[in-house]
Amino acid sequence: MERDEVACLLILAEELHFGRTAERMHLSRARVSQLVQRLERRVGAPLFHRTSRTVTLTGLGRQLRDDLAPHQRAMDEALARAAATAARRAGELRGVLHVGFSGPLAGEVVMRAAKLLGERWPGLAVAPCEVPLADPFGKLRAGAFDVQLAELPAGEADLVEGPELFSESRVLAVPAGHRLALRGEASPEDLAELGETPLLTLREGVPVLCREQLAPARTPGGRAIPPGLPVTSVQEALVLVAAGKGALLSGAHTETYFAHPGVCYVPVPEAAALAYGLVRRRGPLAPRLQAFTEAVAGTAPPAGRP
């Protein structure tokens, strides 16, 4: 099986559109069709159902995609490591990497990785910048960031994410004097019973998985969680919490970095931990980005707060 056949299968399985697949592979639609037909002849059965309007995977196509995808990623990573090694030998790891971070906890890890990267490659600098809460992938897609350290999962088809680097527990910010503040602990089921202080959420248009991290639609038991006001930043959210207008579900680091008069942070020990990892645009891993990825992996713990 040739590399272009594997790439064609995986990209078409993602796009389910011959035109977009041809654009991504910089080939003609006819060439994409030839590659698919050649692979189907090699396998001996159809891999896609094709009509004039739709393209879908057959059961065999899904099986082959799932079997080949890990090997394709491993090949891409092996090539990237080889390119990074070649660049090191040639002294080419220079310039500036623009790295986004979603909040101060992720920012600490980015800065530690930047320090380690500078020790390894003095000519390669890191320019950190915070990821906007209300537009988590806009700057990455626009090219303003080369990579970002953010909450997982991202769940965006055009982005590559992971692996998980570390995680943290969850807290609920409520107004001082709130019944949950007096209790000293909250459960995920309590999020359905916040009454006049509903769970603050994000504006429409923010990816669903990002909104679910801040304001899940249902409790683990299946109860609906009434949505509160939309917010665009943590500071804005805490002003509303202090005013008794809502509650904020966030990572435990918020209590350390965002102390606020009138706000009490209540642990939610039963809530799923908030995971963090790198997110980047899809495509080959450039040597400079590979070097940063290795630095992050060398500075971030596997779990828990850094």
Side-chain angles (χ1 to χ4, degrees), residues 179 187-195 199 217-219 222-226:
R179 61 180 179 80
S187 76
E189 296 301 319
D190 288 322
L191 302 180
E193 300 177 350
L194 292 173
L199 203 58
R218 294 189 175 276
T219 70
R223 302 166 66 196
I225 301 175

Side-chain angles (χ1 to χ4, degrees), residues 225-244:
I225 301 175
L229 295 170
V231 295
T232 60
S233 70
V234 174
Q235 290 88 344
E236 179 184 319
L238 294 177
V239 168
L240 292 174
V241 173

Side-chain angles (χ1 to χ4, degrees), residues 19 55 108 136 140 164 184-185 211 240:
V55 178
E108 282 188 5
L140 181 63
E164 179 182 331
E185 185 174 288
R211 296 182 70 192
L240 292 174

Side-chain angles (χ1 to χ4, degrees), residues 35-56:
L35 289 172
V36 173
Q37 291 167 5
R38 192 169 72 190
L39 188 54
E40 288 178 330
R41 287 195 299 270
R42 190 188 299 274
V43 172
L47 300 173
F48 295 91
H49 292 300
R50 304 187 276 282
T51 70
S52 60
R53 294 186 177 182
T54 63
V55 178
T56 57

Side-chain angles (χ1 to χ4, degrees), residues 197-221:
T197 56
L199 203 58
L200 299 174
T201 185
L202 296 174
R203 63 173 176 79
E204 293 292 334
V206 174
V208 172
L209 289 181
C210 296
R211 296 182 70 192
E212 281 287 311
Q213 291 163 0
L214 184 72
R218 294 189 175 276
T219 70

Side-chain angles (χ1 to χ4, degrees), residues 122-257:
L124 185 56
V126 171
C129 184
E130 187 169 13
V131 175
L133 183 66
D135 187 16
F137 305 120
K139 289 190 174 182
L140 181 63
R141 287 190 169 112
F145 296 158
D146 296 297
V147 66
Q148 63 188 44
L149 180 59
E151 294 84 358
L152 298 181
E156 299 293 294
D158 61 325
L159 302 177
V160 178
E161 62 180 86
E164 179 182 331
L165 294 171
F166 61 93
S167 62
E168 63 171 332
S169 57
R170 308 301 294 272
V171 296
L172 183 68
V174 296
H178 191 278
R179 61 180 179 80
L180 293 177
L182 299 177
R183 187 202 298 174
E185 185 174 288
S187 76
E189 296 301 319
D190 288 322
L191 302 180
E193 300 177 350
L194 292 173
E196 295 180 356
T197 56
L199 203 58
L200 299 174
T201 185
L202 296 174
R203 63 173 176 79
E204 293 292 334
V206 174
V208 172
L209 289 181
C210 296
R211 296 182 70 192
E212 281 287 311
Q213 291 163 0
L214 184 72
R218 294 189 175 276
T219 70
R223 302 166 66 196
I225 301 175
L229 295 170
V231 295
T232 60
S233 70
V234 174
Q235 290 88 344
E236 179 184 319
L238 294 177
V239 168
L240 292 174
V241 173
K245 301 296 185 181
L248 175 68
L249 181 65
S250 67
H253 78 273
T254 310
E255 182 174 9
T256 300
Y257 292 96

Side-chain angles (χ1 to χ4, degrees), residues 82-96 121-124 286-289 291:
T85 300
R88 292 186 189 112
R89 292 173 179 172
E92 294 176 358
L93 287 185
R94 301 181 182 279
V96 179
W121 307 110
L124 185 56
R288 295 189 305 174
L289 196 50

